[in-house]
Amino acid sequence: MSINVVYFARYREALGRDGEALEGAFATLEQVRQALLARGGKYEVLAEQNLMCARNQDLCKLDEPLVEGDEVAFFPPVTGG
């Protein structure tokens, strides 16, 4: 399965990239996140409890199922005042 992963805000800054294509057997966004976390180092930023995510530009939870060609986005929570 091929998916496109996009990073926003401070995740993009910490990882030094806007996104990447991933190949693998990913049933959910959580499996994608765990694969990225397994890289260690700077990818540990994705271990945050309050991480937000989207599938094909729709907000979702980490248990969201994935299919071939999906776009997955990770971003920190947005606060307003």
Side-chain angles (χ1 to χ4, degrees), residues 6-18 45-46 48 73-78:
V6 181
Y7 308 109
F8 288 100
R10 103 178 109 83
Y11 296 160
R12 177 179 56 222
E13 293 169 16
L15 298 173
R17 61 190 336 176
D18 293 334
V45 71
L46 299 175
E48 294 181 341
F74 293 112
F75 49 98
V78 178

Side-chain angles (χ1 to χ4, degrees), residues 46-67:
L46 299 175
E48 294 181 341
Q49 294 287 328
N50 54 356
L51 168 134
M52 295 184 71
C53 55
R55 176 180 166 249
N56 299 326
Q57 300 181 6
D58 289 324
L59 289 176
C60 63
K61 296 187 185 239
L62 288 167
D63 62 357
E64 181 77 12
L66 298 175
V67 297

